[in-house]
């Protein structure tokens, strides 16, 4: 039997149309042949022939008759969930989240918080490969049925060339090629914030909006941009470096090497620094003992937990960060005029403590005529956004090949 991947690599006109059919079903679920023919602007006989071929190949299945009020009941077709699988890998600072998704888009297996010491070394890369291979081996899925793996990585990533310029960049070869060779399975890579944005767009809090900005507030700060339903990557895949606008005269050196970046005042790293500074200046918090004993052991999870326990100092710092974030998001709204702004990443888990100051600042600093059409929501997927988006992107990347 011909495989979908072999047809895609061959690149025939038939393969292009089959990719269009699969993409249609990814976004629309099931549909009849006449509906599909109208959408793709193809003849019914042509679509019927391709659907029959794809049913034989195992990628499409017949879901039965569509109930109509009168006349002949047409058959509904859609993706066969067991025709192939996709793996999404979300690399975090101290752990990895990983998921397995079937062809239809349903999560089959997930593992959260797999211990991992993320570092830009060959040893760390080998450890990542080992995590991926063990996850696939434990899933009871034949590796030959894994159609694609997408690895979500922070920093500058070019998904088209497969190069990572910020992490695992110690080889002249594309990282995607190296991972493919080491895992024995097809691999693509993409930027973590863009992946999270895509996860929310496909399976999160997006409710039909087509122009969306996703703000990832973790240790750093970045945005994912979706324009007219399509992820915006930029010329080299580097779009979304929101955290590296130089706007503050604070003489704080950002990890990018420049001074005064937004990220130096509006990020998890900034929150972490501000809390330690204020405790050392004499203010008190439920986290004071941790800071006094070993400030380096303080994590964002500690701070988020303290906020949710209503620690006044942590709440005050989070609210200040939210106001600053809202001021800068106001600028993005003035530029992009999005339908929806999503606040995601680790700090979004502080809920209204950060969201309300963001909304207030947006209303204060953006143009009223522009911001009235921009809704602000908190991420639905939370910590799952990375690997869910990576699974979805693994499937989309195969269709775009």
């Amino acid at each position: 039997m011909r495989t979908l991947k072999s047809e895609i690599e061959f690149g025939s006109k038939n393969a292009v149309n089959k990719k269009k059919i699969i993409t249609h079903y990814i976004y629309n679920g099931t549909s009849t042949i006449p509906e599909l023919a109208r959408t793709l602007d193809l003849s019914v006989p042509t679509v019927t022939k391709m659907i029959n071929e794809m049913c034989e190949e195992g990628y499409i299945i017949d879901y039965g008759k569509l109930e109509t009020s009168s006349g002949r009941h047409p058959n509904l077709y859609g993706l066969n969930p067991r025709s192939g699988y996709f793996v999404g890998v979300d690399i975090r600072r101290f752990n990895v989240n990983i998921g397995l998704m079937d062809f239809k888009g349903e999560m089959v297996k997930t593992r959260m918080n797999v211990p991992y010491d993320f570092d830009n070394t060959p040893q760390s890369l080998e450890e990542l490969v080992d995590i991926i291979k063990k996850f696939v081996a434990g899933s009871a899925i034949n590796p030959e049925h894994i159609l694609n793996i997408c690895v979500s990585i922070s920093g500058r990533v070019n998904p088209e060339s497969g190069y990572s310029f910020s992490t695992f960049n110690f080889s002249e070869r594309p990282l995607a090629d190296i991972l493919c060779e080491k895992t024995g399975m097809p691999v693509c890579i993409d930027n973590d914030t863009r992946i999270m944005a895509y996860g929310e767009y496909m399976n999160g809090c997006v409710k039909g909006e087509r122009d969306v900005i996703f703000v990832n507030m973790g240790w750093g700060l970045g945005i994912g941009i979706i324009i007219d339903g399509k992820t915006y990557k930029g010329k080299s895949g580097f779009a979304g470096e929101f955290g590296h606008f130089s706007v503050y005269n604070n003489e704080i050196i950002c990890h990018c090497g420049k001074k005064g970046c937004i990220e130096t005042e509006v990020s998890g790293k900034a929150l972490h620094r501000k809390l330690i500074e204020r405790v050392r200046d004499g203010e008190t918090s439920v986290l004071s003992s941790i800071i006094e004993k070993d400030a380096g052991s303080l994590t964002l999870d500690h701070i988020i937990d303290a906020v949710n326990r209503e620690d006044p100092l942590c709440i005050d710092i989070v609210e200040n960060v939210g106001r600053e974030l809202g001021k800068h998001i106001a600028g993005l709204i003035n530029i992009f005029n999005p339908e929806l702004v999503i606040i995601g990443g680790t700090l979004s888990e502080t809920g209204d403590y950060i969201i309300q100051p963001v909304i207030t600042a947006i209303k204060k600093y953006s143009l009223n005529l522009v911001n009235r059409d921009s809704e602000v929501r908190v991420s639905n997927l939370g910590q799952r956004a990375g690997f869910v988006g990576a699974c979805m992107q693994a499937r989309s990347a195969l269709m775009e090949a």
Side-chain angles (χ1 to χ4, degrees), residues 353-366:
Y353 289 114
I354 197 165
I355 295 301
Q356 291 308 316
V358 166
I359 292 173
T360 299
I362 286 173
K363 291 179 178 178
K364 181 177 180 180
Y365 293 104
S366 62

Side-chain angles (χ1 to χ4, degrees), residues 90 195-200 214 379 381-390:
D90 179 28
I195 285 292
M196 294 168 74
Y198 190 61
E200 286 291 342
F214 177 89
S379 163
L381 294 176
Q383 300 296 334
R384 294 169 53 86
F387 75 81
V388 169

Side-chain angles (χ1 to χ4, degrees), residues 41-179:
D41 195 23
L42 296 170
S43 69
V44 170
T46 297
V47 173
T48 301
K49 178 177 180 294
M50 286 190 291
I51 288 293
N52 288 337
E53 288 179 359
M54 295 174 79
C55 284
E56 290 177 5
E57 293 163 357
Y59 293 103
I60 300 293
I61 58 175
D62 185 341
Y63 280 88
K65 300 289 185 181
L66 173 64
E67 293 298 324
T68 57
S69 57
S70 62
R72 184 178 177 182
H73 300 310
N75 286 52
L76 278 172
Y77 293 90
L79 300 177
N80 177 3
R82 292 181 295 278
S83 58
Y85 297 86
F86 303 91
V87 175
V89 183
D90 179 28
I91 304 175
R92 301 161 66 82
R93 180 63 187 89
F94 296 109
N95 56 63
V96 168
N97 293 333
I98 186 166
L100 176 73
M101 184 183 81
D102 67 25
F103 203 77
K104 194 176 179 181
E106 300 295 328
M107 299 306 300
V108 176
K109 178 183 179 181
T110 63
R111 281 198 67 194
M112 300 287 289
N113 300 316
V114 180
Y116 177 59
D117 187 13
F118 182 26
D119 197 9
N120 188 29
T121 64
Q123 293 76 20
S124 184
L125 179 60
E126 291 296 336
E127 185 182 354
L128 176 66
V129 169
D130 189 54
I131 289 171
I132 294 171
K133 291 171 72 173
K134 284 182 178 178
F135 176 79
V136 172
S139 69
I141 300 296
N142 187 329
E144 292 183 0
H145 295 158
I146 303 296
L147 299 181
N148 204 10
I149 296 172
C150 180
V151 179
S152 167
I153 306 176
S154 62
R156 265 65 70 197
V157 176
N158 187 327
E160 305 299 328
S161 66
Y163 278 96
S164 170
F165 295 90
S166 302
T167 306
F168 299 144
N169 55 343
F170 37 76
S171 171
E172 293 183 358
R173 296 173 59 202
L175 176 60
D177 290 354
I178 294 171
L179 288 170

Side-chain angles (χ1 to χ4, degrees), residues 261-279:
C261 291
I262 292 178
E263 196 171 289
T264 63
E265 298 289 348
V266 185
S267 64
K269 184 177 183 179
L271 178 62
H272 185 272
R273 184 193 74 244
K274 291 170 185 286
L275 177 60
I276 292 172
E277 288 174 351
R278 290 178 63 170
V279 167

Side-chain angles (χ1 to χ4, degrees), residues 11 23 155 162 192 198 251 273 303 355 365 368 370 399:
T23 300
D192 59 343
Y198 190 61
E251 291 301 306
R273 184 193 74 244
I303 300 173
I355 295 301
Y365 293 104
N368 291 336
V370 181
M399 295 303 103

Side-chain angles (χ1 to χ4, degrees), residues 217 248 265-266 278 315-330 352-365:
M217 285 200 72
Y248 293 108
E265 298 289 348
V266 185
R278 290 178 63 170
I315 288 173
D316 184 57
I317 298 172
V318 165
E319 288 178 342
N320 288 336
V321 167
R323 279 190 288 272
E324 286 297 305
L325 175 62
K327 182 188 301 184
H328 300 301
I329 290 176
D352 282 346
Y353 289 114
I354 197 165
I355 295 301
Q356 291 308 316
V358 166
I359 292 173
T360 299
I362 286 173
K363 291 179 178 178
K364 181 177 180 180
Y365 293 104

